[in-house]
């Protein structure tokens, strides 16, 4: 009887494809687990069981795909393995984008003063070299850090020491240029809007021309909350209760540029009581700036000298520590609302906005980004002017927070991250944000947002930054005291009600 010389095939099939598939899943799972742990966004009570269950699932799939000969089980296991792998890769990408964006918006440590070299519109100068032998007008005291930084750059660029003439006020500086006492002036571009508020100078941007723009970068110094506790206790305390300065700027030179702040809201947050108190301060509030040695100015002008000056000025006004800030540009605000898919905001009045000509009804209005910006910026349609604008801004913040905490927002994370990055910055640390996210995921708490606006009376005075008479709002000290008491109560863990 003849014997066959060929080997019999293995009825169980090969273990190699299943081994490769399982190994790949384990590698992907390991990467995902490392990112989840490092992000610190997921509560431990979800993270550990989730990792164990995912490992068990991968092991089970490994058993199912162990041999190719078991055709039905192998095919099913392979399909499920591919699906699980795709989901994990998607999770890795999403988590990477999220942590990168959070790191991006929480690592901003500098601000920029955009100092322009301005000449009269009809002047023939086209470049700095055309002005090399000329005299530059500068402010003698206001914003000298920016001016001195610009002079240093000019001296380096022109390889000479430029001649300067000092003026004691914005009006005198501009008049020095108009009267040709100096051929050019050095001026922080944020002051152009301030000058345009002065009678007789509303056409300033038509009468002068920028020959060159200089960027003077300075470090933002925001002191950490001083609780008298150890470092770990400080982290825990600051995550429990803190006050955040919310600033909205309409800057032509980008988010990092020093600029007047048209939105000035303090948000006092307590994560134990799950209450947020929003306090709005009108932009024209006439208060001493933290850098003006007691001289009073419009609150909006504090932003010209940096976000820390705005924070410190509000801290002085209310007698309370302002721990962190976040700033958003108007353009970025519009993009964020669109990324959220629009929001439903409550309006106390029916009105049409000056910006965009959008019409709003009394009651709830569903708005996109452009409409939301028109809603937030409007003040001329109201008898109470900026007071009502502040209330509308707080109503929009409430609407945005409500939408951001809704489950439907999870599917829009990519567009939201794209809108936030570059349009939003904060001094909140990554660790504190991670603590807040983790706590929210753990408790699923409903937040109560309460709003309050301080008031004042119409007046005129000579603000520190203007050196000429202008409209100001004289603070109503009773409403300021009420705001201070409400903020302190929230910090102390008391549950407050809408005033």
């Amino acid at each position: 009887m003849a014997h066959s010389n060929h080997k019999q095939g293995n009825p169980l099939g090969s273990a190699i494809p299943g081994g490769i598939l399982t190994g790949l899943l384990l590698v992907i799972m390991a990467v995902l687990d490392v990112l989840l742990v490092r992000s610190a966004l997921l509560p431990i009570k979800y993270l550990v069981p989730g990792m164990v269950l995912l490992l068990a699932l991968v092991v089970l799939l490994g058993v199912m795909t162990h041999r190719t000969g078991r055709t039905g089980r192998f095919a099913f296991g392979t399909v499920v393995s591919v699906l699980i792998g795709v989901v994990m890769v998607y999770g890795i990408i999403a988590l990477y984008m999220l942590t990168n964006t959070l790191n991006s918006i929480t690592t901003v440590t500098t601000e920029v003063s955009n100092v322009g070299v301005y000449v009269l519109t009809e002047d023939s100068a086209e470049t700095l070299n055309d002005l090399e032998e000329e005299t530059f007008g500068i402010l003698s005291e206001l914003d000298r850090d920016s001016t001195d930084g610009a002079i240093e750059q000019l001296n380096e660029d022109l390889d000479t020491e430029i001649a300067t003439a000092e003026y004691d006020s914005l009006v005198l500086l501009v008049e020095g240029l108009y009267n040709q006492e100096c051929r050019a002036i050095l001026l922080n571009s944020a002051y152009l809007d301030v000058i345009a508020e002065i009678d007789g100078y509303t056409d300033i941007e038509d009468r002068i021309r920028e020959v060159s723009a200089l960027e003077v970068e300075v470090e933002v110094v925001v002191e950490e909350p001083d609780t008298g506790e150890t470092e770990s206790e400080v982290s825990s305390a600051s995550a429990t209760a803190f006050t955040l300065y919310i600033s909205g700027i309409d800057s032509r030179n980008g988010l990092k540029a020093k600029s007047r702040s048209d939105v000035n809201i303090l948000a006092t947050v307590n994560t134990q009581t799950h209450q947020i108190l929003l306090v709005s301060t009108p932009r024209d509030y006439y208060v001493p700036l933290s850098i003006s040695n007691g001289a009073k100015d419009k609150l909006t002008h504090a932003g010209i000298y940096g976000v820390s000056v705005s924070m410190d000025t509000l801290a002085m006004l209310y007698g309370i520590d302002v721990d962190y800030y976040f700033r958003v540009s108007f353009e970025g605000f519009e993009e964020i609302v669109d990324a959220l898919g629009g929001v439903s905001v409550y309006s106390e009045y029916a009105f049409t906005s000056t910006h965009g000509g959008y019409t709003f009804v009394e009651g709830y209005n569903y708005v996109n980004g452009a409409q939301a910006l028109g809603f937030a910026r409007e003040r001329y349609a109201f008898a109470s002017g900026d007071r009502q604008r502040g209330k509308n801004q707080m109503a929009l913040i409430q609407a945005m927070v409500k939408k951001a905490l809704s489950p439907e927002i999870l599917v829009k994370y990519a567009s939201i991250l794209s809108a936030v990055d570059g349009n939003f910055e904060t001094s909140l640390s990554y660790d504190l944000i991670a603590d807040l996210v983790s706590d929210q995921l753990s408790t699923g708490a409903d937040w109560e947002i309460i709003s309050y606006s301080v008031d004042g009376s119409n007046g005129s005075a000579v603000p520190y930054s203007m050196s000429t008479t202008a409209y100001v709002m004289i603070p109503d000290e009773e409403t300021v005291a009420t705001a201070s008491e409400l903020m302190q109560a929230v910090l102390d863990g008391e549950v407050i009600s809408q005033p």
Side-chain angles (χ1 to χ4, degrees), residues 51-106:
M51 292 171 64
V52 171
L53 286 174
L54 187 57
L55 177 60
L57 178 59
V58 171
V59 171
L60 176 61
L61 291 172
V63 172
M64 295 180 68
T65 59
H66 181 58
R67 293 287 183 178
T68 58
R70 295 167 177 168
T71 310
R73 189 166 70 176
F74 178 82
F76 179 77
T78 299
V79 171
V80 175
S81 295
V82 171
L83 290 175
I84 294 298
V86 169
V87 170
M88 287 195 294
V89 169
Y90 181 81
I92 290 171
I93 295 172
L95 197 55
Y96 179 78
M97 290 175 58
L98 175 59
T99 54
N100 267 12
T101 299
L102 290 179
N103 278 316
S104 173
I105 66 175
T106 57

Side-chain angles (χ1 to χ4, degrees), residues 115-249:
V115 180
V117 178
Y118 297 98
V119 297
L120 294 174
T121 302
E122 62 271 16
D123 195 291
S124 62
E126 295 295 336
T127 68
L128 285 177
N129 290 329
D130 296 331
L131 303 170
E132 184 175 356
E133 304 296 329
E134 303 294 338
T135 297
F136 292 78
I138 62 173
L139 289 168
S140 58
E141 294 184 9
L142 286 177
D143 199 26
R144 276 311 297 252
D145 289 342
S146 299
T147 300
D148 291 342
I151 291 174
E152 184 177 341
Q153 286 188 37
L154 279 179
N155 288 339
E156 183 176 337
D157 291 344
L158 297 174
D159 194 24
T160 186
E161 188 167 325
I162 64 170
T164 60
E166 296 189 357
Y167 295 88
D168 292 335
S169 71
L170 287 172
V171 169
L172 291 176
L173 176 67
V174 173
E175 284 297 322
L177 179 63
Y178 285 177
N179 297 329
Q180 300 183 26
E181 297 170 10
C182 54
R183 187 173 175 187
I185 60 173
L186 292 178
L187 184 66
N188 186 333
S189 62
Y191 276 116
L192 291 178
D193 291 329
V194 177
I195 298 172
E197 296 177 18
I198 302 173
D199 288 341
Y201 297 90
T202 55
D203 61 347
I204 179 70
E205 294 196 55
D206 294 326
R207 297 191 62 181
I208 65 175
R209 175 171 56 83
E210 186 179 79
V211 173
S212 181
L214 307 169
E215 289 191 350
V216 180
E217 191 170 281
V218 295
E219 184 177 357
V220 179
V221 179
V222 178
E223 295 183 2
E224 287 294 321
D226 182 11
T227 64
E229 309 287 350
T230 65
E231 186 174 343
S232 61
E233 289 171 331
V234 166
S235 176
S236 175
S238 60
T240 299
F242 57 87
T243 297
L244 174 72
Y245 169 53
I246 301 173
S247 172
I249 63 173

Side-chain angles (χ1 to χ4, degrees), residues 365-376:
N365 298 260
Y366 201 84
V367 296
N368 61 23
Q371 293 165 333
L373 184 57
F375 182 84

